[in-house]
Amino acid sequence: SDSLTVGELAKKLYREPSEIIKKLFMLGVMATINQDLDKDAIELICTDYGVEVEEEILVDTTDLEVYFTEDKEDLLGERPPVVTIMGHVDHGKTTLLDSIRHTKVTAGEAGGITQHIGAYQVEANGKKVTFLDTPGHAAFTTMRARGAKVTDITILVVAADDGVMPQTVEAINHAKAANVPIIVAVNKMDKEGANPDRVMQELTEHGLVSEAWGGETIFVPISALKGEGIDSLLEMILLVSEVEEYKANPNRPAIGTVIEAQLDKGRGSVATLLVQNGTLKVGDPIVVGNTFGRVRAMVNDLGRRVKEVGPSAPVEITGLNDVPQAGDRFVVFEDEKTARQVGEARSSQALQAQRSEKTKVSLDNLFEHM
Ligand code: GDP
Ligand code: MG
């Protein structure tokens, strides 16, 4: 965050809040201890004390977003795109996810047990693509509401025999708001009554104009049920990736987002994480949402134990003290002590917020009954 309260600033400068308030007063600013000070005001006070303002002073180290920093260009390497499938109910999202997974995963992984961890990776033309398997809309709404961007590309599935429907439009709006490129998969092409032209026409009204009609949106006719057009769809995903150049630094402690999490009877807290930058390793001290721990074991989407995973990889981990929520951020720290400090601060903040929420509710109730 870019602001501090008078009280917080006083603490950082080892001064009494009253002294800061007095100084602000001399500078023509009336302030209270809980008042938020912007960067300029903070700088003014610090300069007055002869303290050089480092960026550090403004950094709230318990806010996980502050660790989502960008790396220098020369440290970056290519990373696989992260794809979400969205579309109206019954237009074939689940069938498409299954179809991609079956043609691309189980075929090449004889005997490999594909387990459900909420995301999976496939390989096409020697390149990896990550698919998020969470119900597209839920993933977008909960995660986006919490400010976490996880998707690079949206596949918009539209059934050729049904056309644009309310959730199709919803999906378009989500993707647009998140500034995520859309590839349209015109599905159920095998069906009698399939009318791809109608889909193209209807989508034009929502700003998605096919390349065939002079626009910029890629349309791919498919049959998720018969497994037709899947390869072209994957090729188009790789094409978009080449243009967008998704990058990450594999040589830093991992950061990313929780895809899903639950309590397992035997294994305790189990969380599927999407590594968005860096490399996640077994033994890493980690803060996940309002909980923390050490990565005890990691299992990939093929059900295999792995020691480390790089950018854009989905992985299931154990070793957390508590169960985080989908959309929570995670950050790996160099040492366990810092992870513990940040984790404990976050869990007590969360507890406090929960308590004050409860107090508020009961006060509201009280007033209601008066
Ligand atoms: P979702 O609600 O978007 O996940 O849709 P589903 O994947 O569950 O599919 C809904 C129905 O459409 C199921 O009965 C599928 O078998 C069927 N379906 C999906 N894709 C195709 C397709 O390409 N062709 C045909 N004929 N049916 C399909
Ligand atoms: Mg479904």
Side-chain angles (χ1 to χ4, degrees):
S1 82
D2 289 21
S3 70
L4 290 175
T5 63
V6 170
E8 286 164 344
L9 180 62
K11 218 163 155 189
K12 290 200 186 251
L13 293 171
Y14 304 101
R15 308 275 169 173
E16 286 300 318
S18 59
E19 198 182 318
I20 306 281
I21 291 170
K22 209 183 283 172
K23 237 184 222 314
L24 281 165
F25 181 76
M26 306 290 268
L27 294 165
V29 182
M30 296 284 273
T32 59
I33 186 162
N34 291 318
Q35 190 136 339
D36 267 324
L37 296 174
D38 63 13
K39 216 172 160 171
D40 291 340
I42 294 166
E43 230 154 39
L44 216 56
I45 297 285
C46 290
T47 315
D48 208 54
Y49 278 118
V51 174
E52 216 175 299
V53 189
E54 292 170 34
E55 284 300 319
E56 289 273 305
I57 205 165
L58 297 174
V59 171
D60 173 5
T61 54
T62 65
D63 178 4
L64 296 185
E65 291 306 318
V66 306
Y67 302 96
F68 281 67
T69 50
E70 284 189 19
D71 296 270
K72 289 209 185 77
E73 187 69 28
D74 57 337
L75 299 174
L76 299 176
E78 205 180 304
R79 69 164 174 86
V82 179
V83 180
T84 312
I85 297 181
M86 295 173 84
H88 195 71
V89 65
D90 283 344
H91 278 199
K93 299 179 294 291
T94 304
T95 310
L96 177 57
L97 272 163
D98 287 347
S99 182
I100 295 167
R101 179 156 41 190
H102 283 122
T103 51
K104 289 293 167 188
V105 180
T106 36
E109 297 282 340
I113 307 151
T114 313
Q115 68 165 37
H116 179 90
I117 67 165
Y120 64 82
Q121 260 185 343
V122 300
E123 216 169 278
N125 298 339
K127 303 224 170 205
K128 284 181 176 156
V129 179
T130 302
F131 285 90
L132 295 187
D133 191 354
T134 37
H137 299 270
F140 256 90
T141 40
T142 55
M143 290 188 198
R144 221 164 49 77
R146 318 180 78 217
K149 189 184 168 184
V150 288
T151 313
D152 297 311
I153 298 170
T154 290
I155 304 295
L156 180 68
V157 179
V158 187
D161 63 337
D162 203 24
V164 171
M165 287 289 149
Q167 284 166 279
T168 316
V169 178
E170 225 175 83
I172 294 169
N173 292 337
H174 282 311
K176 278 187 182 164
N179 204 14
V180 173
I182 296 171
I183 296 174
V184 179
V186 184
N187 192 28
K188 307 199 185 184
M189 287 297 288
D190 62 287
K191 271 187 122 175
E192 201 146 328
N195 188 349
D197 279 350
R198 186 181 130 208
V199 174
M200 276 161 75
Q201 180 56 52
E202 289 172 347
L203 285 177
T204 301
E205 289 158 32
H206 297 280
L208 298 178
V209 183
S210 158
E211 286 180 311
W213 290 359
E216 291 185 340
T217 307
I218 300 171
F219 280 64
V220 187
I222 64 163
S223 167
L225 193 67
K226 302 210 161 188
E228 287 162 10
I230 305 298
D231 284 328
S232 325
L233 184 61
L234 287 167
E235 266 166 40
M236 290 306 136
I237 292 170
L238 294 177
L239 194 76
V240 172
S241 307
E242 256 166 51
V243 174
E244 302 280 334
E245 297 190 305
Y246 303 114
K247 287 182 172 173
N249 172 11
N251 302 309
R252 64 172 273 171
I255 52 172
T257 302
V258 177
I259 301 304
E260 54 182 45
Q262 66 271 328
L263 194 63
D264 182 277
K265 263 191 197 151
R267 295 184 295 160
S269 169
V270 178
T272 298
L273 308 181
L274 176 72
V275 177
Q276 292 178 277
N277 203 354
T279 294
L280 183 65
K281 299 172 184 160
V282 168
D284 275 347
I286 190 170
V287 175
V288 186
N290 298 324
T291 182
F292 65 99
R294 217 177 230 287
V295 179
R296 193 191 306 144
M298 297 203 290
V299 175
N300 70 9
D301 55 323
L302 300 169
R304 301 228 166 94
R305 277 205 175 220
V306 285
K307 287 244 151 64
E308 56 174 69
V309 291
S312 295
V315 72
E316 194 185 76
I317 71 156
T318 52
L320 300 176
N321 292 341
D322 204 349
V323 184
Q325 292 184 325
D328 276 348
R329 296 294 212 176
F330 77 81
V331 173
V332 166
F333 288 84
E334 305 270 2
D335 60 294
E336 190 158 18
K337 194 173 151 228
T338 316
R340 175 178 299 277
Q341 272 169 0
V342 173
E344 276 172 356
R346 287 185 60 82
S347 71
S348 73
Q349 277 168 14
L351 203 66
Q352 229 162 29
Q354 214 175 34
R355 274 201 204 112
S356 66
E357 191 56 38
K358 271 193 197 134
T359 320
K360 207 174 120 216
V361 170
S362 50
L363 274 178
D364 283 348
N365 288 349
L366 186 71
F367 285 123
E368 236 166 63
H369 295 294
M370 264 165 60

